[in-house]
Amino acid sequence: MAPGAIETVSKNTIAVANRKLGDESSHDIVLKSFRLLVADLCQQFNGGHPGGAIGMAAIGIALWKYTMRYAPHSPDWFNRDRFVLSNGHTCLFQYCFLHLTGYKAMTFDQLKSYHSERVDAFCPGHPEIEHEGIEVTTGPLGQGVANATGLAMATKHLAATFNKPGFDVVSNHTWCMIGDACLQEGVALEAISLAGHYKLNNLTIMYDNNQITCDGSVDLTNTENINDKMRACGWNVIDVEDGCYDIQGIVNAMDAAKRSDKPTFINIRTIIGLGSKVAGTAVAHGAAFGKEDVANMKRAYGFDPEQFYVIPDEVRAFFKNLPARGDKFVEEWEQLVDDYSKEHPELAKRFRARMAGEIDPRWQELIPAKTDFPSKPTSTRAASGVVFNGIAKNIDTFMVGTADLSPSVYMYWPGAKDFQQPDLVPARGEPGDYTGRYIHYGIREHAMGAIANGMAAFAPDTIIPVTSSFFMFYLYAAPAVRMGALQHLRAIHVATHDSIGMGEDGPTHQPIELATLYRAMPNIHYIRPADTEEVAGAWISAIQTKGTPTIISTSRHSLPQLAGTSRDGVLRGAYVLEEDDAATLTLLGVGAELSHVAEVAARLRAEHGVRTRVVSFPSWRLFEAQPLEYRRATLRRHSTRVVAVEPYAPNGWERYADAAACVTRFGHSLPCKAAYRFFGFDADSLLGKVLGYLERVKEDELLGREFVEL
Amino acid sequence: MAPGAIETVSKNTIAVANRKLGDESSHDIVLKSFRLLVADLCQQFNGGHPGGAIGMAAIGIALWKYTMRYAPHSPDWFNRDRFVLSNGHTCLFQYCFLHLTGYKAMTFDQLKSYHSERVDAFCPGHPEIEHEGIEVTTGPLGQGVANATGLAMATKHLAATFNKPGFDVVSNHTWCMIGDACLQEGVALEAISLAGHYKLNNLTIMYDNNQITCDGSVDLTNTENINDKMRACGWNVIDVEDGCYDIQGIVNAMDAAKRSDKPTFINIRTIIGLGSKVAGTAVAHGAAFGKEDVANMKRAYGFDPEQFYVIPDEVRAFFKNLPARGDKFVEEWEQLVDDYSKEHPELAKRFRARMAGEIDPRWQELIPAKTDFPSKPTSTRAASGVVFNGIAKNIDTFMVGTADLSPSVYMYWPGAKDFQQPDLVPARGEPGDYTGRYIHYGIREHAMGAIANGMAAFAPDTIIPVTSSFFMFYLYAAPAVRMGALQHLRAIHVATHDSIGMGEDGPTHQPIELATLYRAMPNIHYIRPADTEEVAGAWISAIQTKGTPTIISTSRHSLPQLAGTSRDGVLRGAYVLEEDDAATLTLLGVGAELSHVAEVAARLRAEHGVRTRVVSFPSWRLFEAQPLEYRRATLRRHSTRVVAVEPYAPNGWERYADAAACVTRFGHSLPCKAAYRFFGFDADSLLGKVLGYLERVKEDELLGREFVEL
């Protein structure tokens, strides 16, 4: 195919004529300078990932110079196009373009911080959301594709909600750069399938098809027909044959993408490390080329091999107009929003509030008081619906979804409307639209987590995504949940079936060690509430905590409502449920088993004369944030023996307890009560364990000073 | 399309004529009885998953009666076809066929244990590998597809290694049943891509296409063209229009699958819960139908509504021949192996040893003595290659692979041959074949873990899969690693870049909380060796521990060889590296930071007069298995203050230490040494932390009795 030609495979893609670019004469020098800049930056500390960034140079020019709508001097402009570098190791690609296009923070000095020992560098080894011009942190492959899907869904939803004829106040496009690796990762494949289903025509993937990964040629491990696969997933596919040089062709493809009625996959053939002697090989991927090779590149390009980081004036001039162009975009858009405010004042007010990340404060009033909750036993998953459904229904900020467990998670509120594509006519007979705030993610837990991150990353708190599944499947989603915590993206994850009490589904579904992961993971709140009141506390914590995701961990089975529980106690992580100043024993209870603990305490007092106090302990992280005095007064480790009760791996309870009734093996398929009995978590068994422990420590003084598993 | 007709889409599929089945007259009664049996079993305890099992009845008949080669009375026959129920919640499908086809353990009494409180039930809520006739434990969706891929790879490899003309001693087929959900899960999509690449024509997926998941119609969330997608991934695709009744059509499709040169995807349209009033809806998925509905089904089928679990004589007769047929399969195969032993005695000897799971004992001699290791500093990832490459090269049991990180993981031994499909001609110019034992999994960490489980499940220790990647990406693989631990499947996972010392790649790649997960996960050994000698210990532990997977966690950067390290010490989990009977302080060091700890200890003694001992602590789980006296003598918690040093989340160190230098935030992109400095893990910083701690506990007696993060 001739350079610049486009194969518009989808019959729905409108053929796009060449758009006059204007600055073609500079392309050659810009490409060369960019490639040498990347090579020099890797050479500086003899490390990094030069090959991909170099191979993608023409794509970057097509994107930042000719296609993307953004404003370097207003990097947080609400309606900017979003760019996601899913192949995050090629970060120099983005850093160099941020520098060239005039992002103020990305000074030349900062650009040179790549791989340096500078602690305040804006150029870490993978792009990080904290830095100007970076939309999401990437690195773990495939995540970016799903983040981009979430960003595009956010646009679709906000546009459907707020745009009015003549007032497209939300109209941005999401551009996602990927490499060969992202197309192999399950999380990306899940998101691709969903993006195709949702017809996210505001999403474009640009595939840096260099057919090289760390191990060598991609065909060592992947020989699928990717174009056919993407088409089968509902994507528009466009090929670009010469992705190293054919800027016009790439621009044409991007123009076509913006006119597609589907998401677009631009398959762009490139050569990794173009110009280097290791071009086209895996060696070009993850190591500096070496001084001589770079010098030879410079000679071949007509540059001085003794000069480094050269950005010729012509290159500066090429990018010079972009900040001003960006300012104009912003200005026009602000004018549009002003006009919109006059025409649609109420809607505009809501829109501005959402842009500012303001959550309608009525949410607090929508949570019933403890005394207004039903007093009958309720599963905490159902309680979660009781607490949150009213908020979800009334507060537009929340986009609630599930990985195909609507009947189990109780997150679907009466009258909830699905986020759905317009060509689909669901059972109720109306065509779908994007105003809906209930998302069927499908059985795609990992993508659900990463898409939620993308929605949260659109703008701080403009959308708060709520995901839901069985707790055990948050292990599938864990890499995405981790990325959310790392990026301070606030998603709320509602995880039911959180103990052996979930029963018959057995050891594959019974979480034993998973809470340990989330209790150790930085910047996330894992909360296991014990009844409806504590569920209220968990939701209050989740909604009022900015910049930190929360997992609300709930039971499948019914739990009694306990007299002493308190939402305020939940906010402190742990609190005294039953006090006794003269107690010699403290029992720590959590979530579904707190009522067992309360029962055991009552029997210890009544039948065995053991003065026992009870602490409810829904969240370690929230508790750690309390003052030392509060923590000591709650646990009373120095005046009582402390025993934790939780059918989980004990790891970490050692900090709060002298012993724990715990589970150190995998679960067992049994009905709820039988499972508790089998693992010794019914009141009878627990009573025996605690009494036995109290006996044993009398006999063995050392044991009393060691952590004991019961 | 007419029932029974096959659309053989792949041009390579040989058209298959109808095979005469013989017992067609019984199909109707068998289908009806089977469906009612499933309905009754769910009714018994008013729970379970009836719909899928009922919809798949005809598929099961095609499979167990007409297609699959297996032996109910020799359930572990080496060359049996493997069946994987990836949609494990439909387990009654398998349980009922195991019962009907004559598996001895699956008595009628056992069949009725489904959802009962019986602790020794063979019918848990998902199939479990421990029970007769179950090849792998399934439940978490998508895993089974990848397990089946691993099973098929095991067959390919063993066949290529051991078969000789006229002696196909390994020739079994793998049949994998899936539902709509599995096709949405990333782990399945990764495996599908790899299976297509490897041309695993001994693998057939049977897709129970009922278009229903928990949330309702699949098209709520998935409207892709699955047949096109599978073809794009290199699969042969066959449609069956009437999967509820057309047993002949399904058999024809399975026959065609066995003749394909690619893996085959049989897309079988069924109706979930056929016969129930909730047929074809999500309600049929995960709840019993109710007494009246089941009674009506019985009436409509001409059965007595007052009778339960009825298996008419005609149905018993239909399946009656299967144990004898199976015995004949086994007998013929044993004869074949006997003849093979005469013709190829050496090969047969090796084959029999592999079948018996005997690992060539020379592996122990292939590990150099400590004194023979290079004394220069080495990364433990490189050391892992030094220790293991000789074993991998010489001991056929090991199939070693990587998720595209060959240059980083050091698992490729000189002369290693790739496991590769015959149509691919890699760089060295020879067509691929399946005898190779080095597997390029691609950037598919999750599938890698699940495929490894499949290979390990083929037969105990016939193949020991070794996977490798960056440690952080074992979070992607975690659901599969967990399933391996749960199933006692021995895979060895080699995880490099295991601390903040991995440097520039930054927080997305720096594991902070991940070790916490694997230390809490039941039945897995997580080992962090400190130098080459400890790496030797880690490998010895991994290779000699049957039924438990191991993660060997290694450093990216060079570490000094330490005088006191010991492989035997590693086998005990923790051991005294530097003793001092009069010590007041014990430092616990692990892996990449053990040398830092030794340096700090030396300076504490020399510069500050603090009598300090050092314990190397590579594995908590191995340590917990030691006698109490050993553990007490190693830690000396009662006579010294104990401080752990590890740049990980501290959760769980509380059991072994009074304080820990640890990390409770995400990492930071910095070169290795700078990262250690930034987080206070260089010797200077650590010294300050330890001295500061010793001062603080002098001043605050309570603090001295609480766990302190440094």
Side-chain angles (χ1 to χ4, degrees):
Chain A
M1 214 169 356
I6 306 175
E7 182 198 350
T8 49
V9 176
S10 162
K11 67 178 191 295
N12 298 313
T13 304
I14 298 153
V16 178
N18 277 4
R19 170 154 63 93
K20 180 71 188 147
L21 301 184
D23 290 319
E24 287 89 344
S25 61
S26 298
H27 286 179
D28 185 62
I29 187 77
V30 176
L31 285 169
K32 285 174 175 164
S33 309
F34 182 87
R35 288 177 176 135
L36 293 175
L37 180 60
V38 170
D40 275 344
L41 286 168
C42 287
Q43 215 47 51
Q44 188 186 199
F45 298 107
N46 197 32
H49 288 85
I54 283 173
M56 284 146 51
I59 303 171
I61 294 169
L63 203 55
W64 270 281
K65 168 78 179 179
Y66 295 116
T67 303
M68 209 157 43
R69 292 172 63 87
Y70 64 101
H73 292 175
S74 302
D76 296 330
W77 172 38
F78 192 79
N79 198 36
R80 70 192 179 277
D81 281 3
R82 265 65 171 180
F83 174 77
V84 174
L85 188 73
S86 191
N87 49 344
H89 55 277
T90 68
C91 55
L92 278 178
F93 171 74
Q94 188 166 11
Y95 299 156
C96 289
F97 277 111
L98 290 180
H99 173 72
L100 292 168
T101 56
Y103 281 78
K104 287 177 178 170
M106 193 57 83
T107 60
F108 197 79
D109 196 40
Q110 270 291 353
L111 200 56
K112 289 184 69 183
S113 71
Y114 179 68
H115 272 230
S116 77
E117 299 199 355
R118 188 167 163 174
V119 167
D120 67 343
F122 295 162
C123 295
H126 293 91
E128 296 179 3
I129 194 170
E130 289 80 2
H131 304 134
E132 199 176 284
I134 308 293
E135 302 293 355
V136 283
T137 300
T138 53
L141 293 162
Q143 296 291 330
V145 175
N147 299 157
T149 300
L151 285 161
M153 284 168 65
T155 296
K156 279 288 181 199
H157 174 70
L158 294 169
T161 305
F162 290 108
N163 288 356
K164 286 286 172 185
F167 295 103
D168 283 351
V169 291
V170 184
S171 61
N172 72 303
H173 200 91
T174 296
W175 305 92
C176 180
M177 190 82 233
I178 67 167
D180 291 288
C182 288
L183 289 170
Q184 297 181 23
E185 289 285 6
V187 61
L189 298 175
E190 290 176 6
I192 283 167
S193 175
L194 190 62
H197 168 77
Y198 279 142
K199 291 185 175 283
L200 302 177
N201 66 341
N202 57 344
L203 171 64
T204 299
I205 284 181
M206 297 152 297
Y207 168 29
D208 174 38
N209 182 350
N210 62 36
Q211 287 293 306
I212 292 294
T213 63
C214 291
D215 273 18
S217 175
V218 166
D219 70 5
L220 280 173
T221 191
N222 196 1
T223 40
E224 68 194 16
N225 184 325
I226 187 62
N227 284 1
D228 281 356
K229 188 174 177 180
M230 296 300 291
R231 281 184 206 109
C233 291
W235 287 61
N236 175 37
V237 174
I238 304 175
D239 283 295
V240 174
E241 294 290 316
D242 177 12
C244 287
Y245 294 104
D246 185 10
I247 294 168
Q248 177 78 57
I250 302 169
V251 170
N252 290 355
M254 291 171 174
D255 285 351
K258 291 193 72 170
R259 287 169 176 76
S260 171
D261 63 341
K262 301 172 180 179
T264 295
F265 178 75
I266 310 181
N267 184 337
I268 310 173
R269 277 72 171 179
T270 66
I271 295 168
I272 193 170
L274 184 79
S276 154
K277 69 168 193 266
V278 294
T281 76
V283 183
H285 167 80
F289 296 150
K291 277 184 192 170
E292 199 182 306
D293 193 13
V294 177
N296 284 334
M297 280 178 77
K298 288 178 183 171
R299 286 185 197 101
Y301 281 177
F303 279 62
D304 179 352
E306 300 302 321
Q307 294 207 335
F308 301 88
Y309 319 110
V310 173
I311 302 175
D313 291 344
E314 188 178 349
V315 174
R316 292 277 180 211
F318 183 78
F319 292 104
K320 202 177 168 192
N321 70 316
L322 296 176
R325 184 186 72 179
D327 292 346
K328 196 150 167 287
F329 287 152
V330 175
E331 203 177 292
E332 287 167 1
W333 176 81
E334 284 177 344
Q335 185 61 54
L336 182 74
V337 176
D338 282 347
D339 296 346
Y340 170 76
S341 301
K342 286 165 200 152
E343 200 80 15
H344 305 282
E346 274 310 303
L347 198 60
K349 202 177 146 199
R350 273 175 53 211
F351 180 56
R352 288 188 193 276
R354 291 289 296 280
M355 285 200 290
E358 292 163 11
I359 308 170
D360 185 336
R362 284 181 305 147
W363 71 265
Q364 306 194 46
E365 299 153 28
L366 291 165
I367 302 182
K370 178 166 181 172
T371 47
D372 292 335
F373 286 133
S375 59
K376 65 168 193 268
T378 313
S379 65
T380 42
R381 61 175 170 151
S384 180
V386 169
V387 170
F388 184 63
N389 287 350
I391 298 173
K393 180 176 182 175
N394 290 291
I395 313 288
D396 282 0
T397 296
F398 297 96
M399 290 194 76
V400 180
T402 180
D404 193 51
L405 285 171
S406 291
S408 299
V409 293
Y410 290 81
M411 287 291 102
Y412 199 90
W413 64 93
K417 186 175 176 182
D418 292 351
F419 175 91
Q420 198 50 274
Q421 49 122 325
D423 292 347
L424 192 81
V425 183
R428 69 176 171 277
E430 294 161 25
D433 73 64
Y434 297 117
T435 60
R437 292 188 292 106
Y438 192 86
I439 302 171
H440 298 280
Y441 284 102
I443 302 103
R444 304 179 178 106
E445 297 84 1
H446 194 175
M448 174 172 72
I451 288 169
N453 289 341
M455 286 194 289
F458 189 86
D461 290 336
T462 293
I463 290 171
I464 298 180
V466 177
T467 79
S468 61
S469 184
F470 289 161
F471 182 42
M472 198 61 244
F473 297 136
Y474 281 95
L475 186 59
Y476 274 53
V481 174
R482 179 181 208 263
M483 289 299 291
L486 171 59
Q487 294 177 75
H488 296 270
L489 294 172
R490 203 228 306 229
I492 300 171
H493 306 291
V494 183
T496 179
H497 291 43
D498 80 342
S499 79
I500 53 169
M502 59 86 65
E504 296 88 348
D505 278 342
T508 58
H509 286 51
Q510 290 166 350
I512 299 297
E513 75 285 24
L514 187 55
T516 314
L517 172 68
Y518 286 116
R519 284 168 174 161
M521 186 177 281
N523 193 41
I524 190 165
H525 292 162
Y526 175 76
I527 309 179
R528 272 196 88 200
D531 67 359
T532 309
E533 173 66 7
E534 285 204 356
V535 167
W539 274 106
I540 291 167
S541 171
I543 297 175
Q544 73 185 19
T545 307
K546 283 179 180 270
T548 296
T550 296
I551 298 177
I552 300 176
S553 177
T554 64
S555 75
R556 178 190 180 208
H557 60 291
S558 281
L559 305 173
Q561 310 295 343
L562 301 172
T565 51
S566 137
R567 61 192 68 188
D568 292 335
V570 174
L571 298 177
R572 293 194 298 272
Y575 63 101
V576 178
L577 192 77
E578 298 171 7
E579 192 51 285
D580 175 353
D581 287 345
T584 55
L585 178 68
T586 299
L587 295 181
L588 310 180
V590 193
E593 295 79 33
L594 180 61
S595 61
H596 305 211
V597 170
E599 188 182 343
V600 170
R603 289 178 57 184
L604 281 166
R605 291 182 207 113
E607 300 168 15
H608 302 275
V610 182
R611 303 282 293 257
T612 306
R613 54 198 292 276
V614 177
V615 169
S616 176
F617 209 146
S619 172
W620 295 6
R621 185 67 43 80
L622 292 173
F623 183 65
E624 286 298 312
Q626 303 309 307
L628 182 61
E629 302 70 41
Y630 177 80
R631 284 183 280 142
R632 285 180 173 166
T634 304
L635 297 178
R636 285 181 50 197
R637 290 202 69 179
H638 305 303
S639 59
T640 68
R641 194 157 285 285
V642 183
V643 178
V645 174
E646 188 175 40
Y648 281 177
N651 306 49
W653 274 119
E654 299 95 337
R655 181 175 299 209
Y656 308 114
D658 303 301
C662 56
V663 176
T664 58
R665 49 158 282 183
F666 286 109
H668 196 82
S669 171
L670 281 170
C672 174
K673 279 188 181 170
Y676 276 126
R677 217 159 40 227
F678 180 78
F679 283 102
F681 281 81
D682 58 313
D684 279 343
S685 304
L686 286 173
L687 189 70
K689 286 182 184 184
V690 172
L691 288 170
Y693 171 67
L694 295 177
E695 283 305 309
R696 280 166 69 198
V697 293
K698 273 187 208 157
E699 289 157 17
D700 183 344
E701 194 242 346
L702 282 183
L703 197 73
R705 290 158 60 190
E706 286 166 351
F707 184 79
V708 181
E709 292 173 0
L710 307 180
Chain B
M1 214 169 356
I6 304 174
E7 183 198 351
T8 49
V9 176
S10 162
K11 66 179 190 297
N12 298 313
T13 305
I14 298 156
V16 177
N18 277 5
R19 170 154 64 92
K20 179 71 187 149
L21 301 184
D23 289 321
E24 285 90 344
S25 60
S26 299
H27 287 179
D28 185 61
I29 186 76
V30 176
L31 285 169
K32 284 174 177 165
S33 309
F34 182 89
R35 288 178 177 135
L36 293 176
L37 180 59
V38 170
D40 274 344
L41 287 167
C42 287
Q43 214 49 51
Q44 187 185 199
F45 298 107
N46 198 30
H49 289 84
I54 284 173
M56 284 147 50
I59 303 170
I61 294 170
L63 203 55
W64 269 281
K65 167 79 178 177
Y66 295 115
T67 303
M68 206 156 46
R69 292 172 62 89
Y70 64 101
H73 292 175
S74 302
D76 295 332
W77 172 37
F78 193 78
N79 199 36
R80 69 191 180 278
D81 281 3
R82 265 64 172 180
F83 173 76
V84 174
L85 188 73
S86 192
N87 48 345
H89 55 277
T90 68
C91 54
L92 278 180
F93 171 74
Q94 189 166 9
Y95 299 156
C96 289
F97 277 111
L98 291 179
H99 173 71
L100 292 168
T101 56
Y103 282 78
K104 289 178 179 169
M106 192 59 82
T107 59
F108 197 81
D109 196 41
Q110 271 292 350
L111 200 56
K112 288 185 68 182
S113 71
Y114 179 68
H115 272 231
S116 76
E117 298 200 354
R118 189 168 163 172
V119 167
D120 67 344
F122 295 163
C123 296
H126 293 91
E128 295 180 4
I129 193 170
E130 289 78 3
H131 304 134
E132 200 177 281
I134 308 293
E135 303 292 354
V136 283
T137 300
T138 52
L141 293 162
Q143 297 289 331
V145 175
N147 298 157
T149 301
L151 285 162
M153 286 169 64
T155 297
K156 280 287 180 198
H157 174 71
L158 294 169
T161 305
F162 290 109
N163 288 356
K164 286 284 172 188
F167 297 103
D168 284 351
V169 291
V170 184
S171 60
N172 72 304
H173 199 91
T174 296
W175 305 94
C176 179
M177 189 80 235
I178 68 167
D180 291 288
C182 288
L183 289 170
Q184 297 180 24
E185 288 286 7
V187 61
L189 298 175
E190 290 176 7
I192 283 168
S193 175
L194 190 63
H197 168 76
Y198 279 142
K199 291 184 178 284
L200 302 177
N201 65 343
N202 57 346
L203 171 64
T204 299
I205 285 181
M206 296 151 298
Y207 166 31
D208 173 38
N209 182 349
N210 62 33
Q211 287 293 307
I212 292 294
T213 63
C214 292
D215 274 17
S217 175
V218 166
D219 71 4
L220 280 173
T221 189
N222 196 3
T223 40
E224 67 194 17
N225 184 325
I226 187 62
N227 284 1
D228 281 357
K229 187 173 177 180
M230 295 301 292
R231 282 184 204 108
C233 290
W235 287 60
N236 175 36
V237 174
I238 303 175
D239 283 295
V240 174
E241 293 291 316
D242 177 11
C244 288
Y245 294 102
D246 185 11
I247 294 169
Q248 177 79 57
I250 301 169
V251 170
N252 290 354
M254 289 172 173
D255 285 351
K258 291 193 74 169
R259 287 166 174 78
S260 171
D261 64 341
K262 302 173 180 177
T264 294
F265 178 75
I266 310 181
N267 185 337
I268 310 174
R269 276 71 171 182
T270 66
I271 295 169
I272 193 169
L274 184 77
S276 154
K277 70 168 193 265
V278 294
T281 76
V283 183
H285 167 81
F289 295 151
K291 278 183 191 171
E292 198 183 307
D293 193 14
V294 176
N296 283 333
M297 280 179 75
K298 289 179 185 172
R299 286 188 196 101
Y301 281 176
F303 280 61
D304 179 352
E306 301 303 320
Q307 295 208 335
F308 301 89
Y309 319 110
V310 173
I311 303 177
D313 291 343
E314 188 177 350
V315 175
R316 289 278 179 212
F318 183 78
F319 292 104
K320 201 177 170 193
N321 72 316
L322 297 175
R325 184 185 73 179
D327 292 345
K328 194 149 170 287
F329 287 152
V330 176
E331 202 177 293
E332 287 167 0
W333 176 81
E334 283 175 347
Q335 186 59 54
L336 182 75
V337 176
D338 282 347
D339 296 346
Y340 170 75
S341 299
K342 287 165 197 150
E343 199 80 18
H344 305 283
E346 275 310 305
L347 199 59
K349 201 175 144 197
R350 273 175 54 211
F351 180 55
R352 287 188 193 275
R354 291 288 297 280
M355 283 200 290
E358 290 164 12
I359 307 170
D360 186 336
R362 285 182 304 150
W363 72 265
Q364 306 193 50
E365 299 153 27
L366 290 165
I367 302 182
K370 177 165 182 171
T371 47
D372 292 335
F373 285 133
S375 59
K376 67 166 193 272
T378 312
S379 65
T380 41
R381 62 174 169 151
S384 180
V386 169
V387 169
F388 184 64
N389 287 350
I391 298 173
K393 182 176 181 175
N394 290 291
I395 313 288
D396 281 2
T397 297
F398 296 96
M399 291 197 74
V400 181
T402 180
D404 193 52
L405 284 171
S406 290
S408 299
V409 292
Y410 289 82
M411 287 292 102
Y412 199 91
W413 63 95
K417 186 176 175 182
D418 292 350
F419 175 92
Q420 198 51 273
Q421 49 122 323
D423 292 345
L424 191 82
V425 182
R428 67 175 172 279
E430 295 162 25
D433 73 63
Y434 297 116
T435 62
R437 293 188 292 105
Y438 192 87
I439 301 170
H440 297 281
Y441 284 101
I443 301 103
R444 304 178 178 107
E445 297 84 1
H446 194 176
M448 174 172 72
I451 289 169
N453 289 342
M455 287 195 289
F458 189 85
D461 289 337
T462 294
I463 291 171
I464 298 179
V466 177
T467 81
S468 60
S469 183
F470 290 160
F471 182 42
M472 198 61 243
F473 297 137
Y474 281 96
L475 187 58
Y476 274 54
V481 174
R482 180 182 207 264
M483 289 299 291
L486 171 60
Q487 294 178 75
H488 296 271
L489 294 172
R490 202 226 307 228
I492 301 172
H493 307 291
V494 183
T496 178
H497 291 43
D498 80 341
S499 78
I500 53 169
M502 60 84 66
E504 296 89 347
D505 278 342
T508 58
H509 286 51
Q510 290 166 351
I512 300 298
E513 75 286 25
L514 187 55
T516 314
L517 172 68
Y518 285 117
R519 285 167 174 161
M521 187 177 281
N523 193 40
I524 191 165
H525 292 163
Y526 174 76
I527 309 179
R528 273 196 85 199
D531 66 0
T532 307
E533 173 65 8
E534 286 205 353
V535 167
W539 274 106
I540 291 166
S541 171
I543 297 175
Q544 73 185 18
T545 307
K546 282 178 181 270
T548 297
T550 297
I551 298 175
I552 300 177
S553 175
T554 63
S555 75
R556 178 190 180 206
H557 61 289
S558 282
L559 306 172
Q561 309 296 345
L562 300 172
T565 52
S566 139
R567 61 190 69 187
D568 292 335
V570 173
L571 298 177
R572 293 194 297 273
Y575 62 100
V576 178
L577 192 79
E578 298 171 8
E579 192 49 284
D580 176 353
D581 288 344
T584 56
L585 178 70
T586 299
L587 295 181
L588 309 180
V590 192
E593 295 80 32
L594 179 60
S595 62
H596 304 212
V597 170
E599 187 182 343
V600 170
R603 289 178 58 186
L604 281 165
R605 292 181 207 112
E607 299 169 16
H608 303 275
V610 181
R611 302 281 294 258
T612 306
R613 55 198 291 277
V614 176
V615 168
S616 176
F617 209 146
S619 173
W620 295 6
R621 185 67 44 79
L622 292 173
F623 183 64
E624 286 298 313
Q626 303 308 307
L628 183 61
E629 302 70 42
Y630 177 80
R631 283 182 280 143
R632 283 180 174 167
T634 303
L635 295 179
R636 286 179 52 195
R637 289 201 70 179
H638 305 302
S639 61
T640 67
R641 195 157 284 284
V642 183
V643 178
V645 174
E646 188 175 41
Y648 280 176
N651 306 48
W653 275 119
E654 298 95 336
R655 179 174 301 207
Y656 308 114
D658 303 301
C662 56
V663 176
T664 56
R665 47 157 283 182
F666 286 109
H668 197 84
S669 172
L670 281 169
C672 175
K673 279 188 183 172
Y676 276 126
R677 217 159 41 229
F678 180 77
F679 282 101
F681 281 82
D682 58 312
D684 279 344
S685 303
L686 286 173
L687 189 70
K689 285 182 184 184
V690 172
L691 289 170
Y693 171 66
L694 296 177
E695 282 306 309
R696 281 166 66 199
V697 293
K698 272 188 212 157
E699 289 158 17
D700 182 345
E701 194 243 347
L702 283 183
L703 199 72
R705 291 158 60 191
E706 286 165 349
F707 184 79
V708 182
E709 292 173 359
L710 307 178

